[in-house]
Amino acid sequence: MTRTTPERPVDVESLFPELARYRRPATRLHPRPGVPDVRDSSVGGPMLWPSDEPWPVCTHPHKRSWGERVEDVRLRRRIEAEAWRRRASEPSVRPGPTETEREVLASLKRGRHAPWLANTDPIPLLAVAQLYRKDVPDLFGGPADCDVLQVFWCPFDAHGTGYQLALHLRWRRSTDVREVLADQPGPVVVGAPGNVPDPCVLHPEQVVEHQYIDLLPDRLRRRIEKWEGPEDEREADDVGYRSDLSIAPGWKVGGFASWHVTDPVPMDCDCGQPMEPLLAIASYECDSFSDSWVPLEDRATLGGAIGPTSVLVGRDGILYMFVCPRDPGHPHRLSVQ
Ligand SMILES: [Zn+2]
Ligand SMILES: [Zn+2]
């Protein structure tokens, strides 16, 4: 099924023609639970990975013996999803898990589940996303002859100072892969359940975005704010530049980053080139602030569209991965908003 973002409530470029200079396409990925194949673009799906190539691992020094078992994370999600399904099909049923399910849930605890792992032992990375150029029009960067980007992360937020995920990118030529690795490895223990993506198929859709308001020229920003009216007089469903007209919520490729948590921070590569957001990994597909972006096909089942990947980054935020447009070999940078 395709996904269709509703037309924006107003044509912002007819109100502010200068904004045409600050527009950029983005591809919304619209991940939804499914059973992706190695030849599909996906979140949390199997990778088109050659059987004779080592799977990427993390050897960065940090604790990896303590956390939650991946199998427990998945079991909890299955039980919770089953409880929701029962509720939906039989409203008279007492909501929530059964007594037996509750006992199982209570037994799923964080702990030292991999005591054999020392702090630099290699652990397999988790498959986060696989994006084919043919599916994702705004996928940029990478060597010109490579047609698929594979994104992995270490399941522990323990890289650098404070909360830091470590992403690993791999561009490849799909035609080079003769035999696909059948049994794809993964970690036994993860630092946080929100680092485990549920397998999702994608429904990519190209939309137009406009630059984050604080990065527009001052005069233009002030005119937009005047048009929006004083913040304390605005109603929840009033059309806003930030909420409805500039940046799409949810997982996406390209477009602009929203800086609503930290305010804009320059993202420059060590080579001096300003970096651009390649991938947004979002905890939620929308919230009450951004619900004008919910696709037409999901309006009746809004609940199903929220957090379909089960990934949670930061405090229910969005992880932006920035790359250098000059050289795809330069290290990427991350920002959580
Ligand atoms: Zn790690
Ligand atoms: Zn660079």
Side-chain angles (χ1 to χ4, degrees):
M1 191 204 278
T2 54
R3 289 295 189 284
T4 318
T5 297
E7 202 171 319
R8 296 300 78 211
V10 300
D11 177 0
V12 74
E13 286 187 22
S14 70
L15 291 171
F16 306 100
E18 314 93 289
L19 270 176
R21 294 215 304 273
Y22 303 95
R23 63 157 34 210
R24 190 184 275 176
T27 304
R28 302 186 69 190
L29 297 178
H30 299 307
R32 301 290 182 266
V35 189
D37 179 77
V38 292
R39 300 275 166 191
D40 296 327
S41 291
S42 64
V43 164
M47 294 289 194
L48 183 77
W49 195 266
S51 57
D52 57 356
E53 194 174 308
W55 191 260
V57 294
C58 179
T59 53
H60 187 89
H62 61 69
K63 242 189 203 153
R64 59 250 282 136
S65 59
W66 204 90
E68 278 199 56
R69 284 192 196 96
V70 175
E71 61 183 65
D72 290 357
V73 172
R74 298 203 192 277
L75 176 59
R76 184 189 306 114
R77 288 178 189 168
R78 275 202 302 278
I79 291 174
E80 286 169 354
E82 185 51 38
W84 274 107
R85 259 195 298 276
R86 279 199 304 267
R87 177 97 199 266
S89 59
E90 279 177 80
S92 60
V93 168
R94 189 168 150 246
T98 63
E99 209 50 53
T100 321
E101 287 170 341
R102 267 175 225 281
E103 279 171 30
V104 176
L105 290 173
S107 73
L108 309 178
K109 291 203 172 79
R110 295 175 70 78
R112 199 159 173 265
H113 293 304
W116 59 90
L117 284 177
N119 286 356
T120 54
D121 281 352
I123 46 169
L125 300 187
L126 272 168
V128 175
Q130 173 166 272
L131 304 170
Y132 285 87
R133 285 200 208 266
K134 65 178 167 60
D135 298 329
V136 184
D138 293 303
L139 193 61
F140 66 93
D145 60 345
C146 290
D147 62 333
V148 55
L149 172 64
Q150 297 171 323
V151 182
F152 300 82
W153 64 27
C154 170
F156 292 86
D157 319 328
H159 309 83
T161 50
Y163 169 85
Q164 287 247 22
L165 278 160
L167 268 67
H168 174 81
L169 309 189
R170 181 73 166 81
W171 282 97
R172 71 167 71 247
R173 251 194 330 246
S174 57
T175 48
D176 287 350
V177 183
R178 301 256 177 264
E179 195 183 326
V180 177
L181 181 65
D183 207 359
Q184 308 205 341
V188 176
V189 175
V190 298
N195 294 344
V196 181
D198 279 335
C200 285
V201 292
L202 306 184
H203 306 277
E205 179 205 16
Q206 206 171 22
V207 296
V208 169
E209 293 192 334
H210 294 92
Q211 178 61 286
Y212 185 66
I213 190 152
D214 291 349
L215 291 171
L216 293 173
D218 273 355
R219 267 185 54 190
L220 178 55
R221 176 179 56 80
R222 280 198 298 271
R223 283 174 55 218
I224 293 172
E225 284 172 348
K226 195 171 162 205
W227 167 78
E228 287 181 313
E231 216 160 310
D232 50 1
E233 289 175 22
R234 292 171 47 75
E235 304 284 339
D237 53 358
D238 282 352
V239 174
Y241 179 78
R242 284 180 188 78
S243 53
D244 307 298
L245 306 174
S246 56
I247 295 173
W251 287 65
K252 68 172 186 185
V253 165
F256 293 102
S258 173
W259 295 96
H260 53 279
V261 172
T262 62
D263 288 340
V265 174
M267 296 300 271
D268 295 328
C269 182
D270 288 343
C271 75
Q273 184 78 17
M275 302 174 94
E276 288 176 7
L278 175 60
L279 177 64
I281 294 175
S283 302
Y284 293 99
E285 284 295 280
C286 76
D287 55 17
S288 57
F289 185 71
S290 59
D291 63 2
S292 78
W293 295 90
V294 174
L296 298 172
E297 295 81 357
D298 294 321
R299 295 246 144 204
T301 53
L302 191 60
I306 297 176
T309 66
S310 297
V311 165
L312 289 173
V313 282
R315 289 186 181 162
D316 302 347
I318 305 169
L319 176 73
Y320 288 100
M321 179 177 66
F322 290 77
V323 297
C324 176
R326 181 180 288 167
D327 185 337
H330 293 177
H332 61 263
R333 291 182 65 190
L334 304 176
S335 174
V336 178
Q337 297 294 318

